[in-house]
Amino acid sequence: MDSMQTKLLSSKPTNLHICHQFTNLCRIKTCAFPVRDDRSFKLVSHQNDSSASQNLIYLPQRRHRHAIATNAHSSAHTYIVDKCDSDQVHSITKQERVGVLLLNLGGPDNLDDVQPFLYNLFADPDIIRLPRLFKFLQKPLAKLISVLRASKSKEAYASIGGGSPLLRITNEQAEALKKALQEKQLHADIYVGMRYWHPFTEEAIDQIKKDHITKLVILPLYPQFSISTSGSSIRVLNDIFREDGYFEGLPISIIESWYQRDGYIKSMADLIQRELLSFPNSDEVMIFFSAHGVPVSYVEEAGDPYKAQMEDCISLIIHELKSRGVKNSHVLAYQSRVGPVQWLKPYTDELIVELGQQGVKSLLAVPISFVSEHIETLEEIDMEYKELALESGIENWGRVPALNCTSSFISDLASLVIEALPTATAVARARNNNGNDKDESDIMQYVVKMLFGSVIAFFLLFFPRFLSLFRNSSL
């Protein structure tokens, strides 16, 4: 099954722009973009009450890259930002033209788009993470993999209507968010930026500039942070903001993760509770949380907080359900693994078989990484995993729908945007930052690189263990 965030190769992290910013995000709510000074943060004393927890701002500190995995649930210093009351919102509206950029993965509009979409996905260095020695293989390897996997992926997309519904649903969420903000007395322009297909993040940025936005909130539609999802999109934005003079001095706030918010937790609990009632014996149903997987190296070597945040998220949802009298057992597994490296366990497909062998008869699947229906919910879970479950002896199967435009969820996102506005801070433009990228303006040099890279990429794809010999060469 094609994963929307496939990672085939893994290595030690190399020059991640955002690595130090995100190594301590287990408890993060919103975080401003890198700032010129700290005076724009509006901070008050530390609090622990649940009513204040919706507004947590975490000030990241550098920590060893393994700290996320080992200290996922340790206490962290948190600071509370005052909510914008109606007077503040009116003040913002009068003085600023506010924009909200929604970030998402993207998906092919039709079957002809599948192969180029896959190429964009695999060409992302945060998806296939190669050692520096092999960086020149990124594009040839992406081309090879996308061609090899296109046929199977087309079959999957054909089974759900011939294309991804992600853009349509994200546009609907954008419109719903705009209305929810208006109801809270904030008029904002909402933009959609996809990482791997149209409208690309860069296209959204161009429109933001044309509209002369004066304050910007970045909202990834991923509840939990991962290097391969929110991190990849923010890295692209990071480069744009530091190189484009338009954004110099523009106040920007980036909401990096938001899985702990009461609105999100309660909305998920509502959906789970409703679906449980559709089973003949609802108290006997096992709640099966299925999250998108990432390679273990992302967590253990690169300090990705995704696993810790996912486990914390599940704990919060279960706590909410128990407060409502729902005592069902639950498990967490990870789906969509691809390639020769070790991924987070347990694997969804293997655990389904194991549960069937243990005599579990009723299973309710909960796609916990996703807030919109797409290929991994509609095809992988609804078709592949359902068939596997029934073959494994599970008699009653159900699936919780994605949040999509659930009103309580959208309303909470609107509150999140309003709460993030006071943290917007100016971006300092990079000066003479040429980076380490190779100049590919020489056409002959580019052709030679692609031809040579394609040969080696083919070899590495079919002999992946060869790559492990060079991991120590990574800088």
Side-chain angles (χ1 to χ4, degrees), residues 325-344:
V326 178
K327 309 295 184 181
N328 296 64
S329 59
H330 72 281
V331 291
L332 167 64
Y334 296 90
Q335 67 183 83
S336 310
R337 74 186 188 279
V338 177
V341 299
Q342 184 177 3
W343 288 55
L344 294 179

Side-chain angles (χ1 to χ4, degrees), residues 97-137:
R97 183 166 184 181
V98 176
V100 180
L101 174 57
L102 302 181
L103 301 178
N104 214 330
L105 194 78
D109 297 321
N110 53 59
L111 297 183
D112 291 335
D113 296 335
V114 170
Q115 190 273 323
F117 165 76
L118 292 176
Y119 171 80
N120 293 336
L121 177 71
F122 297 129
D124 182 358
D126 289 322
I127 298 298
I128 297 181
R129 302 174 62 241
L130 297 173
R132 171 173 271 180
L133 180 64
F134 292 103
K135 285 294 183 184
F136 72 99
L137 293 176

Side-chain angles (χ1 to χ4, degrees), residues 77-119:
H77 292 294
T78 53
Y79 300 83
I80 307 305
V81 175
D82 291 341
K83 286 186 178 181
C84 293
D85 57 24
S86 59
D87 291 338
Q88 288 176 299
V89 172
H90 283 301
S91 176
I92 292 170
T93 303
K94 291 177 181 178
Q95 299 176 12
E96 308 284 355
R97 183 166 184 181
V98 176
V100 180
L101 174 57
L102 302 181
L103 301 178
N104 214 330
L105 194 78
D109 297 321
N110 53 59
L111 297 183
D112 291 335
D113 296 335
V114 170
Q115 190 273 323
F117 165 76
L118 292 176
Y119 171 80

Side-chain angles (χ1 to χ4, degrees), residues 2-3 6-9 113-130 134-151 153 195-196 440 446 449-461:
D2 261 320
S3 160
T6 305
K7 301 95 183 171
L8 298 181
L9 301 170
D113 296 335
V114 170
Q115 190 273 323
F117 165 76
L118 292 176
Y119 171 80
N120 293 336
L121 177 71
F122 297 129
D124 182 358
D126 289 322
I127 298 298
I128 297 181
R129 302 174 62 241
L130 297 173
F134 292 103
K135 285 294 183 184
F136 72 99
L137 293 176
Q138 192 82 50
K139 292 182 178 180
L141 186 60
K143 183 68 173 179
L144 177 62
I145 297 171
S146 65
V147 170
L148 292 176
R149 298 192 66 84
S151 177
S153 293
R195 182 66 180 89
Y196 305 115
E440 294 183 349
Y446 179 74
K449 180 188 293 186
M450 287 293 291
L451 289 174
F452 178 66
S454 296
V455 175
I456 298 182
F458 183 84
F459 178 79
L460 290 177
L461 182 66

Side-chain angles (χ1 to χ4, degrees), residues 350-361 363 389 392-394:
E350 293 182 358
L351 187 55
I352 288 175
V353 174
E354 181 180 333
L355 292 175
Q357 293 173 345
Q358 293 175 0
V360 173
K361 296 301 180 183
L363 211 58
S392 301
I394 293 169

Side-chain angles (χ1 to χ4, degrees), residues 32-37 40 216 218 237-254 423-431:
F33 201 78
V35 298
R36 287 178 171 174
D37 64 75
S40 55
L216 183 62
I218 308 297
L237 289 170
N238 188 16
D239 294 339
I240 294 173
F241 293 158
R242 293 187 182 281
E243 295 174 3
D244 192 328
Y246 176 87
F247 294 98
E248 185 172 11
L250 182 72
I252 299 174
S253 179
I254 295 182
T423 73
T425 53
V427 178
R429 186 182 179 190
R431 305 295 182 184

